[in-house]
């Protein structure tokens, strides 16, 4: 359907190979972890025939959930990489072939310039920007960025329709705006967050023509966008904007505060980890001593559960000012890694040490089923 003669072709980009391989490897590791949770308990019980190993059955639903969730993610990633929308700016028309990810459908067609009523230029937030940027310059590109987007309003069969053409942080937008300008297509600008609106809401907002600023393209969108944004807000200052609509300055300020919050949370985590995990290792060695002294049994996960529940309480307590639910799976993963490493080194200290650390390692796996108890305890004390 495309003419061989065209001015510019704009395509959605595939994920860069490095990030694709990275995502695939992490997803594979996650699937292996999920499968371990599903079959690990029954296999261990069949081999060792110890009653406490039945506790691993509690992890089977979690393993199933992990596998299903990761399979959905991988399926969506593969679909995105195989179904890329493309747009062509030609001398007297625009041709397109777009894909709808939600409905898994495609649409293609041609828009003659004579049928285009006007074009609204705006900005949208592009996420994971580095994953779609050439590897050699990926380090210079922010993870999230404000990129341009065009909403082409045209008439087809007596009805108004809109073609959405999102761009990346490159110069392709300049070619399109120049081509539209040369064909005397009216250009408008809006700082409204049109991209994240529902399709019908976006259509009605654009068609009504409210909060849109006419402009003349001057050759460089990146230089002109900032002045357009300021002019748009100065003209719309008497209009109450929806809460979700932010200017570029507001977005950058939001990102700055977000980075500061992440640093504060990291420092709180570092203080908690530096206090709790050394105590966890010391507690493991103390458990070995108690086992060798025949004070506690070396067969079972109860000593490990007690040790990990105490560690979890301290972990949440030291981060009580920034307590949030994501700390529970984080503690689970971190404590499992530490217990796994410790069990590897404990083998050389004898059979009892090996049994004790194996029990603690088993407890670190099933602790996810009860880690919410110390979490809620700390949360209740914080509110008291």
């Amino acid at each position: 359907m495309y003419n061989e003669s065209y001015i510019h072709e704009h395509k959605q980009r595939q994920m860069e190979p490095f990030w694709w391989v990275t995502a695939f490897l992490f997803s594979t590791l996650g699937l292996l972890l999920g499968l371990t949770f599903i079959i690990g308990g029954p296999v261990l019980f069949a081999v060792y025939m110890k009653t406490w190993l039945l506790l691993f059955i509690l992890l089977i639903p979690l393993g199933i959930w992990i596998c299903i969730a990761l399979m959905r993610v991988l399926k969506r990633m593969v679909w995105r990489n195989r179904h890329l929308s493309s747009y062509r700016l030609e001398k007297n028309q625009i041709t397109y072939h777009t894909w709808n990810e939600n409905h898994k459908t495609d649409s293609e067609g041609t828009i003659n310039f004579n049928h285009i009523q006007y074009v609204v230029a705006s900005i949208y937030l592009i996420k994971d920007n580095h994953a779609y940027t050439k590897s050699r310059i990926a380090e210079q590109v922010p993870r999230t960025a404000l990129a341009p987007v065009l909403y082409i309003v045209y008439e087809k069969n007596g009805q108004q329709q809109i073609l959405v053409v999102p761009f990346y942080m490159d110069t392709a937008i300049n070619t399109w705006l120049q081509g539209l300008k040369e064909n005397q297509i009216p250009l408008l600008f809006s700082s409204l967050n049109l991209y994240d609106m529902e399709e019908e809401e976006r259509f009605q907002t654009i068609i009504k023509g409210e909060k849109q600023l006419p402009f003349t393209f001057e050759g460089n969108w990146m230089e002109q966008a900032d002045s357009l944004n300021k002019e748009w807000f100065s003209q719309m200052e008497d209009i109450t904007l929806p809460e979700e609509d932010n200017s570029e300055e507001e977005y950058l300020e939001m990102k700055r505060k977000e980075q500061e919050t992440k640093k504060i949370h990291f420092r709180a985590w570092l203080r908690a980890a530096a206090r709790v995990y050394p105590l966890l290792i010391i507690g493991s060695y103390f458990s070995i001593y108690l086992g060798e002294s025949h004070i506690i049994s070396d067969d079972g996960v109860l000593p490990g559960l007690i040790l990990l529940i105490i560690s979890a309480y301290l972990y949440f307590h030291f981060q009580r000012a920034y307590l949030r639910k994501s700390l529970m799976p984080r503690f689970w993963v971190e404590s499992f890694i530490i217990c796994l490493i410790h069990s590897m080194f404990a083998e050389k200290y004898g059979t009892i040490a090996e049994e004790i650390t194996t029990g603690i390692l088993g407890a670190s796996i099933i602790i996810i089923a009860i880690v919410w108890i110390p979490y809620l305890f700390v949360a209740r004390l914080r509110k008291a």
Side-chain angles (χ1 to χ4, degrees), residues 218 230 288 314:
E218 298 175 357
K230 293 178 180 177
I288 294 173
L314 294 174

Side-chain angles (χ1 to χ4, degrees), residues 298-323:
D298 60 354
D299 181 16
V301 296
L302 185 59
L305 284 176
I306 295 174
L307 179 61
L308 285 163
I309 289 175
I310 295 173
S311 300
Y313 168 79
L314 294 174
Y315 184 85
F316 300 139
H317 175 74
F318 291 136
Q319 300 184 78
R320 61 189 180 278
Y322 314 102
L323 199 63

Side-chain angles (χ1 to χ4, degrees), residues 13 40 70 81 126 141 176 194 197 218-219 237 254 270 330 348 356 361:
R13 297 172 180 171
L70 287 175
N81 264 15
I126 179 173
V141 179
W176 280 67
L194 299 167
M197 291 182 181
E218 298 175 357
E237 59 184 1
M254 178 186 67
L270 188 61
R330 179 180 293 183
K348 62 182 179 180
I356 291 290
L361 179 62

